[in-house]
Amino acid sequence: QAALTQPASVSGSPGQSITISCTGTSSDVGTYNLVSWYQQHPGKAPKVMIYEVSKRPSGVSNRFSGSKSGNTASLTISGLQAEDEADYYCCSYASSSTLVFGGGTKVTVL
Amino acid sequence: EVQLLESGGGLVQPGGSLRLSCAASGFTFSTYAMSWVRQAPGKGLEWVSLIIGSGGSTYYADSVKGRFTISRDNSKNTLYLQMNSLRVEDTAVYYCAKLGAWWEMDNWGRGALVTVSS
């Protein structure tokens, strides 16, 4: 149950696009299309932004998109806004009905 | 509107026990799998445990296996986490979360702080 690997921090200017990677193994990200992404603002509970690799829940801005290639999933935020500054976590289904999170990425809007 | 409200957090000594509860409303509780996720101070999210809708199957992270027990009472729309043999490293905010159809955690509670310290 090793954690998925995310960059510690990513930054961008307002209006730019950024991408956060999430690298797992063939036991989780590489085998299952069950990757989700969560946004967490300081002192708040996480909020799901993407599920099933690339699907957006109702109410989530279409500036957020997800993809996957091999053992790596990615979250892209386009048209970066100040309100997007937060921590982001990926999560994948792993074998035997377990889940594993990434270490988290702090997004800074410059 | 889905609501999840955790309770039962607090200060406990190493080796002690604590039981968290999560009261659910706004959805058919028995239909959905539920999970506990924790976050140590200043750290990332860590998946802890999961229970299917009927309560018939449970799953745990290696870090808590054998010490924590997840359960649910569908008649009371309540999820539980019994935590035994607590360690300092179990100190965290514990969130309960509802699982959607694709194993995403689509609704979260506000969290309960558990502090393990002598």
Side-chain angles (χ1 to χ4, degrees):
Chain A
Q1 295 179 342
L4 308 176
T5 301
Q6 297 180 232
S9 63
V10 172
S11 62
S13 299
Q16 286 187 330
S17 293
I18 61 169
T19 297
I20 303 168
S21 62
C22 170
T23 301
T25 69
S26 57
S27 296
D28 38 63
V29 176
T31 294
Y32 304 101
N33 288 325
L34 297 172
V35 176
S36 50
W37 288 90
Y38 301 86
Q39 177 192 64
Q40 186 181 34
H41 287 107
K44 301 295 186 181
K47 172 188 175 184
V48 63
M49 305 302 283
I50 295 287
Y51 68 98
E52 205 185 351
V53 174
S54 61
K55 295 183 178 178
R56 271 189 315 275
S58 173
V60 172
S61 171
N62 59 9
R63 298 185 298 104
F64 292 84
S65 61
S67 63
K68 191 187 89 167
S69 178
N71 294 339
T72 299
S74 299
L75 174 71
T76 297
I77 309 174
S78 58
L80 199 61
Q81 299 180 1
E83 67 207 49
D84 301 331
E85 187 161 293
D87 294 324
Y88 291 83
Y89 296 89
C90 62
C91 181
S92 176
Y93 177 90
S95 57
S96 304
S97 298
T98 60
L99 295 164
V100 59
F101 278 99
T105 298
K106 181 176 180 61
V107 168
T108 302
V109 181
L110 301 171
Chain B
E1 179 193 6
V2 172
Q3 291 195 346
L4 300 169
L5 184 61
E6 301 93 340
S7 60
L11 174 64
V12 61
Q13 291 188 337
S17 298
L18 208 59
R19 188 178 83 156
L20 301 180
S21 300
C22 172
S25 61
F27 64 104
T28 306
F29 183 67
S30 60
T31 302
Y32 292 92
M34 299 290 294
S35 189
W36 288 98
V37 175
R38 68 184 181 183
Q39 186 169 35
K43 303 297 184 182
L45 301 175
E46 180 187 12
W47 174 75
V48 172
S49 184
L50 180 155
I51 186 168
I52 66 171
S54 67
S57 295
T58 58
Y59 306 91
Y60 300 92
D62 288 344
S63 58
V64 305
K65 199 173 295 183
R67 300 188 299 122
F68 289 12
T69 301
I70 190 171
S71 62
R72 62 194 297 160
D73 185 336
N74 287 342
S75 69
K76 296 182 178 179
N77 288 351
T78 303
L79 175 72
Y80 303 100
L81 186 67
Q82 177 68 44
M83 302 182 292
N84 298 331
S85 302
L86 282 162
R87 305 167 180 168
V88 171
E89 56 265 33
D90 294 320
T91 294
V93 173
Y94 285 73
Y95 295 100
C96 71
K98 169 182 167 288
L99 266 69
W102 304 103
W103 291 81
E104 78 280 15
M105 284 163 268
D106 59 8
N107 287 275
W108 297 67
R110 299 175 71 173
L113 177 61
V114 172
T115 303
V116 185
S117 174
S118 54

